[in-house]
Amino acid sequence: MLNRATIDSVSAKNPESLTVLDREYPTDSWMNIPPSILAKTVCRLHLQPGHPLNLLKARIEDHFEKFSKDIGSKGFRVKDSLNPIVTVEQNFDDLFISKDHPGRRPTDTYYVNEGHVLRTHTSAHQREALRTRDAPGYLVTADVYRKDEIDTSHYPVFHQMEGIYTFDRANLETEAALPASLSTPANVEVTGAKVCSETNPGQDVHTLRETELVGAHLRTSLECMVRNIFDDPNLRIRWNDDYFPFTAPSWEMEVWYQDRWMELCGCGVMKQEILDKTGNESRIGWAFGFGLERIAMVLYGIPDIRLFWSMDERFHSQFKNASKSSVVKFQPYSKYPSCYKDISFWCPESYHENEFSEVVREVAGDRVETVALIDKFTHPKTKRTSRCYRIQYRAMDRTLTNEEVDSIQESVRQMVSDKCGVELRG
Ligand code: DAH
């Protein structure tokens, strides 16, 4: 279990550098990681025994272990303790993410310095895994960091799992052939995009047959995984074409769950250059990536993403002794009352909503539940824009007092006007 001492032990003691998991990094003017986010780097919830994210991770890893036996493969190597600080090359360039991609902006990504970021996705570790290739498959699970809006399903730190699988290209027909017993049974409905289509083309360096074989292997692997996880005899799966700069073709997988389509994971045939540059010229492969919280929330019935970070025994006791194979349904212990406060201000041109959200989080921590834009107005003469946000406050473990909320709101007002260059109204 987490405790305050471990969390408080992380801090930027020397403002010129910061130490994360025993490695020291110099900081520069790009550094934009607030202390509350830095503190999260030690938590690694996916490694905490009895934590729902750890349960889900173990369940998926178990599935792949069994699956690889079924397909006669040497299996998937698990990597789950990689340092969250990666280079800009690892996170973006190596994956062909364009230089002007909005995800690179300091309003979206946490920078340690000009060349290092807190990883925004587990794909940042693809090359590293492939460079030391000692198994055909990899499952990389890690905490990832993105500046984001505030609501019950978004949190600036979440967890992803990346799957990678490669084949000997010369032996692809044999290696990608799957036993008939694994083909999707008739009661599981699979619809959507074809493996090969003109609008979602493969790579020039691959033959159509290769793309088909790798694509089909990827899809069957993921279909087996969700059948196992959701354990629903009448599961419905839908494939959509998608685009990722590091795969071609690329797809998104959705499952029908509790009366709606739920986006589950992005995937595709890996860009050959990634394999070629990591000493795997003779191989071809696929990759996928998905968020663990999204699945854990629907599977275990966890209504708010902040609960994963809660230290409340009433949350943890429900998962502590759960076995990996059974699905625990979370019993909400009570929802404490919420209260809201509005804030409105004139915005400078450089205004970015993620920066505002970050200030609110920094001040209110997990006592903020949602931040919603409720009004936006541009003055007809001055052309200045004013925004009004409603901040919903609620703690997961107690009732907030009026005084406490008033004082948080006052600090939010001050910090927002200091840090976001806005002019408060009213
Ligand atoms: N890294 C992507 C994201 O965070 C997810 C992803 C998509 C991973 C496609 C993959 C992939 O490996 O092939 O949105």
Side-chain angles (χ1 to χ4, degrees):
M1 263 276 290
L2 290 172
N3 59 48
R4 279 276 159 219
T6 45
I7 293 180
D8 290 342
S9 71
V10 191
S11 61
K13 288 192 187 87
N14 167 359
E16 256 132 55
S17 78
L18 67 88
T19 302
V20 173
L21 301 174
D22 295 336
R23 274 193 64 185
E24 193 177 341
Y25 299 84
T27 56
D28 62 17
S29 61
W30 283 71
M31 163 71 180
N32 64 351
I33 314 176
S36 66
I37 296 293
L38 206 51
K40 299 280 197 271
T41 57
V42 285
C43 298
R44 305 205 284 189
L45 301 181
H46 59 289
L47 298 179
Q48 306 280 330
H51 191 282
L53 295 176
N54 179 258
L55 272 177
L56 179 60
K57 166 183 178 283
R59 190 151 171 212
I60 300 172
E61 288 169 355
D62 280 1
H63 163 75
F64 276 105
E65 197 180 319
K66 181 170 173 302
F67 177 78
S68 59
K69 288 206 181 94
D70 291 343
I71 63 171
S73 151
K74 292 216 179 71
F76 289 78
R77 177 91 60 239
V78 167
K79 291 204 173 268
D80 54 16
S81 311
L82 298 169
N83 197 296
I85 297 184
V86 297
T87 63
V88 169
E89 285 78 33
Q90 284 175 294
N91 201 77
F92 300 118
D93 301 328
D94 287 356
L95 297 159
F96 316 111
I97 295 172
S98 62
K99 293 275 185 211
D100 59 358
H101 192 281
R104 289 190 186 234
R105 294 184 197 144
T107 48
D108 287 56
T109 293
Y110 293 107
Y111 281 82
V112 175
N113 55 41
E114 193 176 358
H116 291 85
V117 296
L118 282 175
R119 70 185 149 225
T120 64
H121 55 172
T122 43
S123 305
H125 297 294
Q126 281 194 2
R127 291 207 189 203
E128 207 172 331
L130 289 165
R131 228 170 259 128
T132 55
R133 200 182 53 76
D134 48 3
Y138 284 90
L139 293 174
V140 180
T141 305
D143 37 330
V144 301
Y145 299 76
R146 293 183 196 172
K147 296 196 182 187
D148 220 329
E149 60 209 91
I150 300 182
D151 63 31
T152 51
S153 61
H154 287 89
Y155 202 80
V157 192
F158 60 103
H159 297 76
Q160 285 189 330
M161 186 186 275
E162 187 91 1
I164 301 173
Y165 196 82
T166 69
F167 310 85
D168 175 7
R169 216 170 155 179
N171 209 12
L172 183 62
E173 291 283 342
T174 318
E175 289 190 11
L178 290 168
S181 60
L182 290 180
S183 55
T184 304
N187 52 328
V188 176
E189 177 192 304
V190 182
T191 54
K194 293 200 198 61
V195 170
C196 286
S197 74
E198 270 170 31
T199 48
N200 188 16
Q203 300 163 50
D204 291 344
V205 289
H206 296 152
T207 65
L208 198 60
R209 177 74 183 150
E210 284 178 320
T211 307
E212 255 169 19
L213 283 169
V214 176
H217 189 278
L218 162 63
R219 285 181 178 216
T220 306
S221 304
L222 284 171
E223 285 165 18
C224 287
M225 179 191 92
V226 294
R227 271 163 51 202
N228 180 311
I229 291 174
F230 287 92
D231 197 20
D232 171 358
N234 299 311
L235 194 66
R236 293 169 67 195
I237 297 172
R238 184 164 77 175
W239 290 99
N240 300 322
D241 287 339
D242 208 331
Y243 170 79
F244 302 102
F246 40 95
T247 47
S250 308
W251 305 280
E252 164 201 77
M253 183 196 219
E254 292 181 313
V255 296
W256 182 258
Y257 196 74
Q258 291 169 349
D259 298 327
R260 63 182 184 98
W261 285 109
M262 179 172 84
E263 244 181 74
L264 216 67
C265 124
C267 61
V269 177
M270 293 180 88
K271 285 269 173 86
Q272 193 58 36
E273 204 180 321
I274 297 181
L275 290 157
D276 291 351
K277 291 254 173 80
T278 50
N280 294 286
E281 298 83 350
S282 63
R283 300 186 74 83
I284 183 167
W286 55 245
F288 67 72
F290 60 82
L292 286 175
E293 276 84 349
R294 155 101 46 111
I295 302 180
M297 283 173 84
V298 296
L299 203 62
Y300 304 130
I302 297 172
D304 191 304
I305 197 163
R306 288 174 296 170
L307 283 163
F308 292 106
W309 298 93
S310 153
M311 295 189 202
D312 197 318
E313 254 312 289
R314 287 172 296 177
F315 178 75
H316 293 284
S317 61
Q318 297 192 35
F319 296 96
K320 216 158 46 190
N321 300 314
S323 88
K324 283 186 281 191
S325 50
S326 64
V327 173
V328 180
K329 283 286 173 207
F330 173 63
Q331 304 296 328
Y333 25 88
S334 86
K335 209 164 174 181
Y336 294 88
S338 73
C339 97
Y340 69 79
K341 298 270 170 201
D342 293 345
I343 179 168
S344 48
F345 43 74
W346 294 107
C347 303
E349 265 191 45
S350 62
Y351 175 78
H352 197 294
E353 193 161 291
N354 284 352
E355 310 264 85
F356 169 64
S357 298
E358 185 169 286
V359 167
V360 179
R361 276 235 204 254
E362 226 16 56
V363 175
D366 286 354
R367 293 169 299 183
V368 55
E369 182 164 288
T370 54
V371 174
L373 182 66
I374 53 171
D375 190 31
K376 191 176 157 187
F377 152 83
T378 304
H379 193 282
K381 288 218 178 87
T382 63
K383 303 282 179 253
R384 281 215 298 172
T385 301
S386 148
R387 284 180 168 78
C388 178
Y389 290 92
R390 178 155 295 173
I391 307 177
Q392 191 90 30
Y393 294 102
R394 188 203 309 268
M396 296 270 102
D397 52 0
R398 65 198 165 86
T399 302
L400 295 172
T401 62
N402 285 336
E403 296 75 49
E404 190 176 359
V405 173
D406 285 344
S407 115
I408 305 171
Q409 179 73 5
E410 196 39 50
S411 309
V412 167
R413 287 174 63 84
Q414 268 182 21
M415 281 270 275
V416 168
S417 91
D418 288 355
K419 291 210 166 172
C420 303
V422 305
E423 189 188 318
L424 294 173
R425 304 181 58 185

